[in-house]
C-alpha cells in the first residue's frame, strides 16, 4: 500500500492505495469518478486522458506511486471550471458527441491545449487530440467544437 | 469486472470477409449486358446473421445498374475465425468495393470516363433491378447524386489531369475516384418490418416521447422529438425522450439497417397525428373551422388559416387543458408497418425493399509511390436522404461514416491466424486518428419519399459503404493500377498483395512462462529520493526501473509476475537538457515533449527533434522518456536512429560506478541492450556537429499520421566537395535490420559520387546486395528492401535540392 497525497480537481486528497493501482483505477474504483473511461489500457486510445500538472496524460499509463504530489484534473471538474464548461457546451452545440465514450478524454486533451493557446490553428488542435481515438464522429465536429470554445474563451479573456 | 479491449476484440463479431468473383459482359459502347457473381463469405464459427447479411449482398450485388442478365450466388462457410454478423453496411461495403472497382475497369476498356459508364448503365425512374423490382414508388435519384457530386468535385477535369501525370510520374501522385450505390432502406424482405412509439402529452403541454428504436449516439432522441414537435407545433425544448424498458413497449424491431428515422419516425408520426386529431375535435368549434387542414400548429400556438394570413387562435397549452377537461386520452400509441415487400427464395426475384436511397462519394488522394502510402485529402459525399430532419446529426453521420470507411479501406486489418486473434488492441488494429482525416464535404440531397416521416429515409450505412471503392478508383487514377483486395495497406498498394503479419515482436519479446492474459498489473513499488538510493535498490539486480512507464506498464500488464519497481521519475537530477563543452546532455528521464520544445535540440539536432515529435501521441510524449525509449530497445524506437546518427554516448551508473558506451554499441538486438540489471541509464550525451556544412534528411514511415509504430525510417547527412561530389556521408536505417545502425557499405559506395541518374540506378543494384543477406527471411523483407532503396534515392534527390538552394543563397 502507498499513502498518497495529491491534488484532485483543486482539492487535496489523501488516501491509501495498493502499489499496483493505476491512476485510472484510483479515479474510477477508489473515488467513484467514472467520467474517465478505460478504452484500451495501453495508451493508444486516450479515453482515459486526465490532466497531470496541466499536461494531458493517459491515466492507464500512470502507476499509483507516480501520482504522489501531483495536481490531477478530471472531467468531473467541468462543474467548476470555465474552460471545461465552455468545451462541454461547444461539444453539444456542434454535434461533436455521438456515443460519447471518447468525449471526456477529448475534452481533457482540448483543455490542455487551451491552457497554453486560446487561438489554436486546426493543425494545433489535431496535434493536441491526436492521441484520442473516436469511432463515431470522424472528428470534424470535434475540431469545430474546440475552435468554438477557443473563440469564446479568447473573446472573454 | 472489466472486459478488456483484447477480450472485446476476440469475442465480438466482425464484418464478413468475402471472396468475390465478378464476370461481366458489355458492349463496346460500355453497356453492360450480363453479370455473373459468385461470392464466398466467411461466417466464422456461428451462422448468427449470415443469412441476412448475405441476402442484402445478393439484392445489391450488381449495383445501381440496369443489367438484363444476372446470376448471383453467395455461399457462406463455417470457419474457426471470429464469427461475423451485422457491421455498418451489412453486406454492402464488400460488394460495392468489388462492383464499383469493376465499373472503372469497364470504363477503361471502353475508353469512357467513370461518370459516362455509370450514366450509360445507371438506374432511371422505373428501372428494373436485378431481382425484378420496378423502381416506381420513389424518386430514383442516382443521376442527380452522381451529377451533383461530380460537379461539386470538378471530377472530370481532375480525373483527366491526373491521368496525364502517370506518363511522367512524380513520387507523390494525385488521384480522384468515385463510387455510387443504391441501398434498400430498413429490413426489406429480411423479416417483419414494424416499429412502435408512444407520445404522451402532459398537462403543462410538454411531450414525453418513447420509441422502440433506441439511441446509440446517432442522435435518434433528437430526431424523434423533432418529428413529434413538428407535428404538434411544440418547441423542441418541451419534449422529453424516455428510453423505455424492453417490457414497457411493443417490440419494434432492432435499431439497425439505417431504419431508426424511417421506422421509428413513422411510428412517432402515427401517434402524434392521432393526438393532433383528438385535440382538434375538442377545439374546432371554438376555432370555427371544420377541418384539421385549416389550422397551423406552430411554436406552441394553434392558428386558423383565413385566406393566406394565419390568425392567432389559442395556445397549444390551452388546447391541451381543454382536451384533458373533456376527458380525452392524450397518450397515443403509434405503430408502423412497412409497405409490402416480397421475395422468392428459389428464383431470387421480388420487390426486396419498399424504398431505396442513392449516394455517390468522390475521394481525392495522394499516393506516395515510393512507399505505397495513401493519404485521403478530400471527400465529397452526396446522399439522397429523402428529407433531412436533424442537420447536425446528418452531417455527423457523413463525417463519421466516411472516416470509419477510410479505416476499412486503408488501415483496419483484422489479423487472425489459425483462429487466434493477433490484432487484439488499438496498437495493432489501426483506426484512423484525427491526423488522418480528409476535408469532407457533405452534400444532402432531398427528394421527400412518401414512405418516410416528412419524406425522410436512411443515411447511417450509405455514408460508410462507398468510400473504399472510391479510394481504390482514385488509386487507379493516380497509379494506373488498382487493388483487388482490402485493406489498401502499404504493402497491398506497393506490392499489389498483402503480407501476412506474424505475431508482433513486442509480444514475443515479453512472452515468458509467466505471461498472462489477465491484463492485471502486479507490482511492488518504491520511490527513492536520490539517485544514490535508487542505485542501492537496484544492486540486487531484481528491480525494474519505472520512468515514464509507457513501455513498462504494458509489459507488466502482459505478465503474471509480481514486479519490483523502482520509480525514478521524481529524481530531478535525471531530468534536464544542458550544453557543456560542446556536448548536449539530456537527462534520461527527460520527456519527449520537453525534448521537442527545447531550442538547443531544435537548433543543433533537427533530425532528433523531428524523430521525437513523431512518437506516439501528445499524451505519450508528455510522459515517455528518452531513457526508457533507449533501454526498451524496441525495433521501432524512434529516438535511437537519430542518436546513432549523431554519435551519441550513453552514461550508465550503478552502485559500483559509472561508465559510458556509444549508442551504436548499446543495442544488441531487439529488446536486448548492454545495460546491466543493476544499472541506470542516467544521461544521453551528443557532441555538437562540427562544420563544414553538411545537409541532413529525415523520413519516417508509419501506417497512420499519429499513434504510429514506425515501419521504416532513414536519417541521412551529406557533405559535398568543390566538384559537387559527395565527400562525406552517413546513413542510419531504423526499423529495417535487426537493430538500427549505420550502413557503412552503402556510405562507402556513395562517397566520391555525383548525385545523378546513374547513382540512382547503381543504388538499386548495390542496396539490394547489401540488404538482402542482412534482412534474411523477415516477413516484411519483400516490402522493406525496395522501399528503403526508394527512400535512399529520395534522400539523395533531397540533398541535391538542398545543395542547389544553399548555393543559390550564397550567390
Amino acid at each position: 500500500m502507498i499513502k498518497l497525497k495529491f491534488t484532485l480537481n483543486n482539492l487535496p486528497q489523501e488516501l491509501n492505495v495498493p502499489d499496483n493501482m493505476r491512476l485510472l483505477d484510483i479515479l474510477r474504483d477508489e473515488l467513484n469518478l467514472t467520467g474517465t473511461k478505460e478504452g484500451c489500457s495501453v495508451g493508444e486510445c486516450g479515453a482515459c486522458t486526465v490532466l497531470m500538472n496541466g499536461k494531458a496524460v493517459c491515466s492507464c499509463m500512470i502507476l499509483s506511486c507516480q501520482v504522489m504530489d501531483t495536481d490531477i484534473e478530471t472531467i468531473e471538474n467541468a462543474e467548476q471550471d470555465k474552460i471545461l464548461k465552455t468545451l462541454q457546451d461547444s461539444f453539444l452545440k456542434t454535434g461533436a458527441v455521438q456515443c460519447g465514450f471518447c468525449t471526456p478524454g477529448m475534452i481533457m486533451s482540448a483543455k490542455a491545449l487551451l491552457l497554453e493557446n486560446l487561438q489554436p490553428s486546426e493543425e494545433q488542435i489535431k496535434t493536441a487530440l491526436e492521441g484520442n481515438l473516436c469511432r463515431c464522429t470522424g472528428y470534424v465536429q470535434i475540431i469545430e467544437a474546440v475552435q468554438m470554445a477557443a473563440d469564446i474563451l479568447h473573446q472573454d479573456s | 469486472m472489466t472486459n478488456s479491449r483484447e477480450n472485446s476484440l476476440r469475442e465480438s463479431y466482425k464484418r464478413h470477409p468475402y471472396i468475390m468473383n465478378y464476370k461481366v459482359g458489355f458492349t463496346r459502347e460500355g453497356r453492360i449486358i450480363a453479370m455473373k457473381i459468385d461470392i464466398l463469405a466467411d461466417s466464422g464459427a456461428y451462422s448468427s446473421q449470415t443469412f441476412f447479411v448475405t441476402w442484402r449482398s445478393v439484392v445489391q450485388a450488381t449495383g445501381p445498374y440496369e443489367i438484363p442478365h444476372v446470376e448471383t450466388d453467395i455461399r457462406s462457410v463455417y470457419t474457426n475465425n471470429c464469427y461475423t454478423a451485422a457491421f455498418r453496411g451489412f453486406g454492402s461495403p464488400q460488394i460495392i468495393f468489388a462492383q464499383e472497382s469493376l465499373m472503372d475497369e469497364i470504363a477503361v476498356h471502353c475508353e469512357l470516363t467513370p461518370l459516362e459508364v455509370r450514366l450509360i448503365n445507371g438506374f432511371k425512374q422505373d428501372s428494373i433491378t436485378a431481382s425484378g423490382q420496378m423502381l416506381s414508388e420513389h424518386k430514383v435519384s442516382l443521376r442527380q447524386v452522381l451529377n451533383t457530386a461530380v460537379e461539386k468535385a470538378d471530377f472530370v477535369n481532375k480525373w483527366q489531369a491526373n491521368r496525364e501525370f502517370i506518363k511522367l510520374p512524380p513520387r507523390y501522385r494525385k488521384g480522384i475516384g468515385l463510387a455510387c450505390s443504391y441501398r434498400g432502406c430498413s429490413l426489406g424482405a429480411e423479416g417483419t418490418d414494424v416499429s412502435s412509439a408512444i407520445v404522451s402529452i402532459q398537462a403543462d403541454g410538454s411531450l414525453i416521447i418513447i420509441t422502440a428504436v433506441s439511441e446509440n449516439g446517432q442522435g435518434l432522441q433528437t430526431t424523434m422529438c423533432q418529428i413529434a414537435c413538428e407535428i404538434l407545433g411544440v418547441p423542441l425544448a418541451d419534449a422529453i425522450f424516455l428510453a423505455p424498458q424492453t417490457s414497457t413497449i411493443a417490440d419494434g424491431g432492432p435499431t439497425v439497417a439505417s431504419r431508426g428515422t424511417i421506422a421509428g419516425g413513422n411510428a412517432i408520426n402515427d401517434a402524434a397525428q392521432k393526438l393532433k386529431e383528438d385535440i382538434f375535435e375538442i377545439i374546432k368549434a371554438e376555432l370555427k373551422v371544420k377541418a384539421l387542414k385549416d389550422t397551423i400548429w406552430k411554436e406552441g400556438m394553434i392558428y386558423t388559416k383565413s385566406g393566406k394570413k394565419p390568425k392567432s387562435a389559442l395556445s397549444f397549452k390551452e388546447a391541451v387543458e381543454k382536451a384533458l377537461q373533456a376527458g380525452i386520452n392524450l397518450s397515443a400509441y403509434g405503430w408502423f408497418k412497412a409497405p409490402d415487400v416480397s421475395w422468392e427464395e428459389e428464383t431470387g426475384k421480388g420487390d426486396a425493399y419498399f424504398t431505396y436511397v442513392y449516394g455517390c462519394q468522390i475521394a481525392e488522394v495522394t499516393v506516395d509511390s515510393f512507399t505505397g502510402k495513401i493519404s485521403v485529402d478530400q471527400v465529397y459525399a452526396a446522399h439522397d436522404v429523402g428529407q433531412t430532419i436533424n442537420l447536425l446529426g446528418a452531417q455527423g453521420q457523413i463525417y463519421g461514416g466516411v472516416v470509419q470507411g477510410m479505416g476499412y479501406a486503408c488501415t483496419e486489418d483484422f489479423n487472425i491466424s489459425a483462429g487466434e486473434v493477433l490484432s487484439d488492441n488499438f496498437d495493432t488494429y489501426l483506426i484512423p486518428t484525427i491526423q488522418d482525416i480528409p476535408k469532407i464535404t457533405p452534400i444532402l440531397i432531398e427528394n421527400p419519399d412518401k414512405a418516410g416521416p416528412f419524406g425522410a429515409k436512411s443515411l447511417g450505412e450509405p455514408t460508410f459503404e462507398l468510400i473504399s471503392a472510391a479510394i481504390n478508383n482514385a488509386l487507379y487514377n493516380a497509379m494506373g493500377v488498382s487493388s483487388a483486395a482490402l485493406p489498401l495497406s502499404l504493402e497491398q498498394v506497393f506490392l499489389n498483395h498483402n503480407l501476412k503479419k506474424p505475431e508482433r515482436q513486442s509480444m514475443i519479446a515479453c512472452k515468458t512462462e509467466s505471461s498472462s492474459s489477465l491484463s492485471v498489473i502486479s507490482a511492488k513499488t518504491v520511490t527513492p529520493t536520490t539517485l544514490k538510493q535508487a542505485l542501492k535498490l537496484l544492486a540486487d539486480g531484481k528491480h525494474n526501473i519505472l520512468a515514464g512507464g509507457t513501455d513498462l506498464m504494458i509489459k507488466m500488464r502482459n505478465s503474471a509476475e509480481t514486479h519490483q519497481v523502482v520509480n525514478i521519475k521524481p529524481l530531478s537530477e535525471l531530468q534536464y537538457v544542458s550544453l557543456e563543452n560542446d556536448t548536449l546532455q539530456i537527462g534520461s528521464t527527460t520527456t519527449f515533449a520537453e525534448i521537442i520544445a527545447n531550442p538547443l535540440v531544435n537548433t543543433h539536432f533537427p533530425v532528433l527533434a523531428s524523430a521525437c515529435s513523431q512518437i506516439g501521441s501528445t499524451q505519450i510524449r508528455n510522459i515517455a522518456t528518452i531513457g526508457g525509449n533507449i533501454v526498451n530497445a524496441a525495433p521501432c524506437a524512434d529516438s535511437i536512429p537519430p542518436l546513432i546518427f549523431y554519435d551519441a554516448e550513453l552514461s550508465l551508473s550503478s552502485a559500483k560506478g559509472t561508465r559510458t558506451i556509444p549508442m551504436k554499441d548499446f543495442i544488441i538486438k531487439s529488446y536486448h541492450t548492454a545495460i546491466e540489471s543493476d544499472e541506470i541509464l542516467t544521461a544521453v550525451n551528443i557532441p555538437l556537429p562540427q562544420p563544414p556544412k553538411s545537409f541532413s534528411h529525415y523520413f519516417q514511415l508509419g501506417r497512420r499520421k499519429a499513434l504510429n509504430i514506425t515501419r521504416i525510417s532513414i536519417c541521412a547527412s551529406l557533405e559535398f566537395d568543390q566538384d559537387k561530389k559527395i565527400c562525406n556521408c552517413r546513413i542510419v536505417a531504423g526499423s529495417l535490420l535487426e537493430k538500427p545502425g549505420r550502413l557503412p557499405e552503402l556510405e562507402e559506395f556513395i562517397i566520391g559520387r555525383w548525385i545523378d541518374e546513374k547513382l540512382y540506378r547503381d543504388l538499386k543494384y548495390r542496396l539490394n546486395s547489401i540488404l538482402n543477406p542482412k534482412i534474411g527471411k523477415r516477413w516484411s523483407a519483400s516490402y522493406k528492401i525496395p522501399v528503403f532503396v526508394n527512400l535512399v534515392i529520395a534522400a539523395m534527390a533531397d540533398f541535391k535540392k538542398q545543395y542547389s538552394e544553399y548555393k543559390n543563397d550564397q550567390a
Side-chain angles (χ1 to χ4, degrees), chain A residues 5-135:
Chain A
K5 273 190 196 174
F6 63 105
T7 308
L8 176 63
N9 298 334
N10 303 316
L11 293 174
Q13 286 283 342
E14 267 195 60
L15 70 163
N16 289 314
V17 296
D19 288 33
N20 66 339
M21 269 203 163
R22 305 165 299 172
L23 173 55
L24 176 64
D25 307 318
I26 295 171
L27 296 170
R28 290 183 59 87
D29 300 343
E30 295 291 300
L31 300 166
N32 287 324
L33 296 177
T34 51
T36 305
K37 307 299 180 199
E38 178 161 10
C40 72
S41 324
V42 293
E44 284 281 330
C45 79
C48 68
T49 302
V50 301
L51 299 198
M52 182 184 241
N53 303 327
K55 303 280 182 198
V57 299
C58 293
S59 60
C60 72
M61 294 272 101
I62 311 280
L63 203 55
S64 56
C65 60
Q66 300 199 313
V67 181
M68 191 67 148
D69 298 329
T70 59
D71 184 354
I72 304 291
E73 184 177 4
T74 70
I75 190 69
E76 282 82 2
N77 204 34
E79 282 179 17
Q80 298 93 39
D81 183 76
K82 190 179 171 189
I83 297 180
L84 290 178
K85 186 83 191 81
T86 310
L87 281 163
Q88 187 181 22
D89 289 345
S90 62
F91 267 62
L92 286 174
K93 280 185 194 136
T94 53
V97 181
Q98 287 190 30
C99 89
F101 196 83
C102 74
T103 311
M106 287 283 178
I107 289 185
M108 296 316 292
S109 286
K111 172 163 180 185
L113 169 71
L114 298 185
L115 278 174
E116 288 175 2
N117 182 359
L118 283 182
Q119 290 177 287
S121 65
E122 188 175 326
E123 289 314 305
Q124 287 168 326
I125 294 172
K126 285 182 176 175
T127 301
L129 302 185
E130 69 184 12
N132 295 80
L133 295 180
C134 174
R135 175 89 283 189

Side-chain angles (χ1 to χ4, degrees), chain B residues 22 24-26 30-32 34-35 61-67 95-123 142 146 159 178-181 469 472-473 476 482:
Chain B
Y22 272 70
V24 62
F26 51 91
R31 177 162 290 283
I32 303 171
M35 199 176 264
T62 52
Y65 305 108
E66 282 186 327
I67 304 172
I95 53 113
I96 290 172
F97 172 73
Q99 172 270 324
E100 281 298 276
S101 300
L102 181 64
M103 289 306 286
D104 272 34
E105 278 188 50
I106 296 171
V108 171
H109 278 284
C110 301
E111 294 179 355
L112 297 167
T113 67
L115 177 63
E116 286 164 339
V117 75
R118 286 168 174 85
L119 291 176
I120 289 170
N121 295 286
F123 283 156
L142 178 73
L146 258 171
W159 185 82
L178 70 76
C180 58
S181 73
N472 196 34
N473 288 337
Y476 184 86
S482 61

